[in-house]
Amino acid sequence: MTLLYLVRHGETDWNRARRIQGATDIPLNDLGRAQAAEAGDLLARRSFDRVVASPLSRAAETGSIIAARLGLPAPELVPAVAERRYGDAEGLTGSEVELRFPAGTPVPGREGRRELLARVLPALVEITRSAGGVDDGGAAGRVVVATHGAVIRAVVTHVAGDDVLHLGTPIRNGSIHSFELLDGALVLREFDDPIEVESERAGTFAFDWQNALERPAAD
């Protein structure tokens, strides 16, 4: 069985200020580093083969902290699992987005969901496949990917539908989500994978706190 664990990076100051980050490279803050360490400690209850990360510093450092907790080499940085690009909305708060881009107004430079999935899904399948051998019938393997909220939301929704991940459900900084590779495709095992009872913490923030641009869209 070949397993993939997606981990959202720890908190940044822009997360705390509710600013859209996207491709803007904002580092972890101290709480974010603590969240990454906590995720690493939870993951350390199982064995892993490798850690991969988005090259954006908040995810790369999260991956490095996790890798150290797992006793693995520093993560390989894979640009294809970087956060969704939000163009001219990056750096804005939710209220600023609503003022500048009222409902139905295109955001210049914003990456569509189809574009996001077109780059993310093949990369994640290949990363997962390489952890378990040449093909799905290879040896069992486990890999961690430190990535971003919009990436995780897009992948979960694509493979499992809205019944698992409702629009109002936030994806916590440092949260862990597990998938299995079956017949060349990812299958969701657990959203907010508990690993052990200690990691079961339901999201409590309103969805708009996470990302004002992750509402339903035609793209």
Side-chain angles (χ1 to χ4, degrees):
M1 182 183 298
T2 308
L3 301 178
L4 167 72
Y5 291 75
L6 298 184
V7 181
R8 189 185 179 199
H9 63 80
E11 186 189 78
T12 70
D13 287 346
W14 275 24
N15 286 145
R16 185 172 295 179
R18 305 183 188 181
R19 295 193 177 278
I20 306 297
Q21 292 181 120
T24 307
D25 199 0
I26 308 300
L28 296 179
N29 57 26
D30 288 342
L31 175 57
R33 294 183 184 95
Q35 291 168 331
E38 180 182 2
D41 289 341
L42 290 167
L43 289 163
R45 296 170 183 269
R46 299 174 183 171
S47 61
F48 289 87
D49 301 290
R50 64 193 289 226
V51 178
V52 173
S54 155
L56 293 170
S57 62
R58 58 191 183 270
E61 186 175 3
T62 296
S64 293
I65 291 169
I66 290 171
R69 288 295 203 276
L70 298 177
L72 293 173
E76 175 189 354
L77 303 183
V78 177
V81 301
E83 179 61 302
R84 184 179 182 182
R85 300 183 298 274
Y86 287 97
D88 289 359
E90 293 185 11
L92 303 182
T93 64
S95 58
E96 290 169 343
V97 168
E98 291 176 357
L99 285 173
R100 192 172 301 185
F101 305 105
T105 303
V107 179
R110 181 190 184 203
E111 183 178 22
R113 284 191 179 88
R114 291 189 182 92
E115 295 175 85
L116 176 64
L117 286 168
R119 67 172 168 86
V120 169
L121 276 176
L124 290 178
V125 168
E126 181 56 34
I127 289 166
T128 310
R129 181 180 285 119
S130 67
V134 175
D135 54 33
D136 295 358
R142 292 191 181 108
V143 60
V144 175
V145 177
T147 183
H148 305 267
V151 170
I152 295 170
R153 179 169 295 278
V155 173
V156 170
T157 301
H158 178 78
V159 305
D162 293 333
D163 290 340
V164 172
L165 181 54
H166 301 289
L167 179 63
T169 305
I171 297 174
R172 296 182 295 105
N173 290 107
S175 59
I176 301 166
H177 313 273
S178 60
F179 300 78
E180 182 177 352
L181 185 65
L182 289 174
D183 299 324
L186 294 176
V187 177
L188 181 69
R189 286 170 59 87
E190 292 285 347
F191 177 81
D192 265 339
D193 190 314
I195 308 293
E196 292 283 351
V197 173
E198 287 83 349
S199 71
E200 290 184 346
R201 293 186 302 170
T204 57
F205 297 112
F207 178 64
D208 283 349
W209 191 92
Q210 178 186 308
N211 191 332
L213 283 180
E214 284 303 307
R215 299 188 179 93
D219 60 359

